[in-house]
Amino acid sequence: MSIFPENVSTYGQAIDNLFWLILAFVAFAFFVSLFILIYPLIKYSSKKVNRAEYITGEKKKHFKWITIALVGLLLSDFVILYVEHDTWGEIESVPSKADVRIAIIARQWNWIFVYPGPDGVLGTTDDVTIDEMNSSLHVPINANIVFELRSQDVIHSFFLANTRLKQDALPGRTVIRWFNITKPGKYDISCTQICGILHSKMRNFVLAETPEQYKHFTDSLYNANKPATASN
Ligand SMILES: [Cu+2]
């Protein structure tokens, strides 16, 4: 059983594993700190003990404990960096083989989807833009979906929880990211950066379909949005 939303992406499990690793280190540090704080309170509360000493931490025997804590924290940081390196590399580097290339544009308060049109190339005249609140982005399963993420106004954050992908959308910048969904279904896209009064309504969906369903969808979409110059 998992406490997370169902993972349906190729790299989701690696992110979940990292989460548990980091949680283990943080929980350990947390309980050790609590113990150091609370244990002396209990041990010395009821007994007659000498007045507390004021310690500046410069003496070797005191400084030792500062060093141990510091080295422990640094070591756990390096372990996390080492373990996450491959996952980070995989998610950060866009796959050379993009099966589908789309654009996702954030605006107060909607996610706008741009499909590349019949030529499969973004930024050409046959692109089709879907700008409707709560609309769904159709994608095929088991395909590398590479998307260009932009914002028209303020900073938003694209969060596709089921794939463990979260990325800020920044005005004036195009960020390229990717995901690969392995299971058909309807998954939430939410904005995770407070972006104005209707931030909470900025909810769209990803519809992961079989390649046939996806082809059927794009065929009818492109047919309905033929450029005016096209004739048949
Ligand atoms: Cu937003």
Side-chain angles (χ1 to χ4, degrees), residues 106-107 109 111 154-157 191-195 199 202:
R107 194 200 54 221
W109 290 277
W111 295 103
V154 298
I155 299 176
H156 300 265
S157 184
C191 179
T192 46
Q193 193 75 263
I194 298 282
C195 59
H199 161 69
M202 205 165 158

Side-chain angles (χ1 to χ4, degrees), residues 162-182:
N162 294 87
T163 67
R164 313 293 190 254
L165 174 75
K166 189 190 270 182
Q167 171 63 51
D168 275 6
L170 306 156
R173 254 224 333 244
T174 298
V175 184
I176 299 180
R177 284 285 178 270
W178 71 283
F179 58 87
N180 187 325
I181 294 181
T182 52

